[in-house]
Amino acid sequence: MKEFPARDWLVASEVGNLLQTAKCDEGKIREVLAKARELKGLDAADVAALCQIGSPDLAEALFETARTVKEQIYGHRMVLFAPLYISNVCGNDCTYCAFRSTNKGLVRTALDMDGIRRETLELVRQGHKRLLMVAGEGYSAAKGGFNYVLDAIRAVYDVTEKHGHIRRLNVNLAPLTVDEFKLLKDASIGTYQLFQETYHRETYAAVHLSGKKRDFDWRVTAFDRAMQAGIDDVGMGVLFGLHDWRFEILSMMQHIQHLEDVFGVGCHTISVPRMEPADGSDLSMAPPAAVSDADFKKIIAILRLAVPYTGIILSTRESTAIRRECYALGVSQISAGSRTNPGGYSEGEDANAHAAGQFQLGDHRSLEEVIADLAESGFIPSFCTACYRLGRTGQDFMDLAKPGLIKLKCDPNAVTTFQEYLIDYAKEETRCAGEAAIDCELDKMGTKARRNAEKMLSHIKAGKRDVFC
């Protein structure tokens, strides 16, 4: 295995210099925003300049540019998923997390395969087609090693009820060896997701007190091993609130550039979680580098311009109001109806759910409530999994995305998967709003995309399922 030491490509001093020398000159900012509208991305110096925006006028110019770029690339699609927590057993002492090993008040659970199937069945019955499996870094001791994860993946894919089953399972797991990543790829996962939490080494050491996660370099080089194992769909993120968000964004840019330089493709998604209160974590109640709502919106807008073809994921950590404000600024994927405790879907919101969860949620709405809200706001909720299943990942995806050809696939697939949901799961009121949104979306499509969409919609309405292009 070839190694790519992080210190060769993750250089904190370069980030520091960029932040010190970048100036919020109006002319420079508007020049960068004009460049962003070309949909070719931004370099680190451009991003550093946008990070300095303070005036309301320039902030609104940033937001308007982000809205334009989001619209051009993603249109009105919003991909939906749910997290599936299979274990909150963890061997790490991370001071911001309820799952930390020293939190003796947490009710610990590692679901068996029947429990995982029950959770999956409940999510299938809600209408979900895409899940993100999450496990604390302690499943090895709890259930027999890495095979527990592989068995859990098979258990999720095994569940079928009527038309429903999980078509894409993404995973958020602790760093693995190359050989383990190969087994993960063979298990037919979608995206491998991992958050660095913070790229600032001193802060990282201060908040990760013990456990395997304390090794900064092992974690930050995980994507190298994943890509060497053949996984070309990876999702990164940091926990905003641990260190200066400007430093984190520019460090993330270094990470993305490294992956592009070595493997030819960067990350498929970026998640933007903000620290939320967590039981057993004093730090989470007073984040050392708290991010305001205004700055949070800047983060999303800047990332959308910096890496325009990369998905941005917004979780239910955020409130309903903030989520609504951020959709148009660049978000392309959201979770809905989430539970962060193992067994939370099949058991419901009981007294133990909060005590066993990873953090407090901000958006408690059901999947259907989120879908109805999206449709009424002009978005098309999408359950599409076509690209992964047809091999349109990594560089193949980018080859279609950058010239704008992916919309010929994504737009029809979005409306057809939405139509499936409306027929199979939605209440009458939601169905009416959703079908009106689909009709409106069809009117906006080009001739070829609309022809494909209408053909697939006719199959869906005739009783066929899982129709995609």
Side-chain angles (χ1 to χ4, degrees):
M1 180 191 75
K2 186 174 181 179
E3 295 185 0
F4 304 96
R7 292 186 186 278
D8 290 349
W9 52 265
L10 187 65
V11 185
S13 60
E14 291 182 2
V15 172
N17 289 337
L18 280 170
L19 290 175
Q20 286 180 357
T21 57
K23 296 180 180 179
C24 188
D25 173 80
E26 181 173 355
K28 171 64 176 177
I29 296 300
R30 296 197 181 277
E31 178 184 317
V32 172
L33 296 179
K35 178 181 177 181
R37 289 175 182 268
E38 298 175 4
L39 309 183
K40 296 179 181 179
L42 301 175
D43 61 28
D46 295 329
V47 172
L50 296 183
C51 285
Q52 307 304 316
I53 290 177
S55 78
D57 287 346
L58 288 180
E60 183 50 41
L62 167 67
F63 297 153
E64 182 56 34
T65 305
R67 294 185 193 103
T68 299
V69 170
K70 163 76 188 297
E71 171 75 16
Q72 287 184 265
I73 295 176
Y74 292 93
H76 302 100
R77 303 186 307 275
M78 188 67 73
V79 173
L80 291 158
F81 73 96
L84 172 61
Y85 281 73
I86 63 172
S87 169
N88 62 7
V89 178
C90 192
N92 299 313
D93 189 6
C94 308
T95 58
Y96 49 82
C97 182
F99 290 0
R100 61 188 302 194
S101 59
T102 56
N103 184 6
K104 304 305 180 184
L106 183 74
V107 179
R108 302 284 178 176
T109 304
L111 299 177
D112 59 19
M113 295 306 117
D114 286 340
I116 291 170
R117 292 188 189 96
R118 282 194 299 273
E119 289 286 274
T120 303
L121 180 59
E122 177 58 33
L123 289 162
V124 166
R125 286 173 173 171
Q126 293 177 19
H128 279 290
K129 298 291 188 288
R130 175 192 295 241
L131 301 182
L132 171 66
M133 192 175 77
V134 185
E137 195 168 345
Y139 50 77
S140 298
K143 291 290 183 178
F146 183 60
N147 283 333
Y148 172 61
V149 171
L150 301 177
D151 290 342
I153 293 170
R154 285 190 286 269
V156 169
Y157 281 135
D158 280 347
V159 174
T160 301
E161 184 179 77
K162 296 182 181 178
H163 297 304
H165 64 280
I166 299 306
R167 299 172 183 170
R168 174 173 175 142
L169 180 64
N170 301 330
V171 296
N172 185 314
L173 300 171
L176 304 170
T177 65
V178 172
D179 288 341
E180 288 171 331
F181 275 124
K182 289 178 180 178
L183 293 173
L184 200 61
K185 177 178 172 57
D186 291 343
S188 298
I189 65 157
T191 300
Y192 171 70
Q193 186 186 90
L194 182 70
F195 300 165
Q196 186 59 28
E197 315 297 10
T198 175
Y199 285 96
H200 190 254
R201 286 180 179 271
E202 290 77 11
T203 300
Y204 190 95
V207 299
H208 298 102
L209 304 183
S210 63
K212 293 181 180 179
K213 194 170 178 178
R214 186 167 170 80
D215 189 337
F216 180 101
D217 289 287
W218 175 250
R219 192 170 188 86
V220 84
T221 56
F223 293 144
D224 295 278
R225 297 188 297 279
M227 288 190 170
Q228 288 187 59
I231 296 175
D232 59 1
D233 241 36
V234 299
M236 63 177 60
V238 296
L239 181 57
F240 288 104
L242 289 175
H243 190 67
D244 181 5
W245 63 267
R246 300 165 185 83
F247 179 92
E248 304 289 17
I249 285 182
L250 286 166
S251 298
M252 197 183 301
M253 292 291 293
Q254 288 186 336
H255 200 168
I256 293 169
Q257 188 62 53
H258 162 67
L259 296 179
E260 290 178 345
D261 289 344
V262 176
F263 300 101
V265 63
C267 58
H268 186 70
T269 59
I270 295 174
S271 296
V272 289
R274 274 195 292 185
M275 196 184 306
E276 294 295 333
D279 288 347
S281 168
D282 292 337
L283 184 73
S284 69
M285 306 299 177
V291 175
S292 68
D293 290 349
D295 283 342
F296 186 63
K297 289 188 287 186
K298 289 178 191 174
I299 288 170
I300 292 172
I302 291 169
L303 288 173
R304 174 49 58 227
L305 303 185
V307 281
Y309 300 98
T310 298
I312 296 179
I313 300 176
L314 187 63
S315 78
T316 49
R317 287 173 178 263
E318 299 298 332
S319 70
T320 300
I322 289 297
R323 275 161 56 102
R324 285 176 178 148
E325 288 186 54
C326 292
Y327 292 158
L329 295 178
V331 173
S332 57
Q333 296 186 28
I334 60 170
S335 53
S338 303
R339 301 286 185 272
T340 67
N341 58 302
Y345 297 107
S346 54
E347 295 173 5
E349 286 192 293
D350 59 20
N352 290 327
H354 179 70
Q358 188 179 25
F359 50 83
Q360 291 183 17
L361 299 176
D363 186 346
H364 296 268
R365 294 174 299 167
S366 68
L367 172 62
E368 177 148 16
E369 289 173 317
V370 172
I371 284 176
D373 184 43
L374 286 170
E376 290 167 2
S377 301
F379 291 95
I380 296 295
S382 173
F383 296 88
C384 179
T385 59
C387 282
Y388 165 71
R389 298 161 76 198
L390 291 172
R392 294 194 296 252
T393 60
Q395 189 59 50
D396 289 337
F397 173 82
M398 287 299 175
D399 288 344
L400 288 172
K402 290 183 178 179
L405 297 177
I406 198 66
K407 291 187 71 173
L408 296 175
K409 309 291 186 181
C410 292
D411 288 350
N413 287 332
V415 296
T416 52
T417 57
F418 187 26
Q419 183 69 71
E420 276 191 57
Y421 172 85
L422 295 174
I423 293 173
D424 293 341
Y425 302 101
K427 298 174 183 176
E428 182 63 24
E429 184 178 355
T430 305
R431 187 178 302 118
C432 290
E435 290 181 346
I438 289 175
D439 289 341
C440 184
E441 188 66 16
L442 289 172
D443 289 339
K444 297 174 183 176
M445 289 185 189
T447 303
K448 184 176 181 179
R450 178 164 186 157
R451 188 186 308 120
N452 287 341
E454 290 178 332
K455 181 180 179 180
M456 292 194 295
L457 284 168
S458 67
H459 290 315
I460 297 297
K461 292 174 181 178
K464 291 190 69 174
R465 294 295 179 268
D466 204 11
V467 180
F468 54 90
C469 62

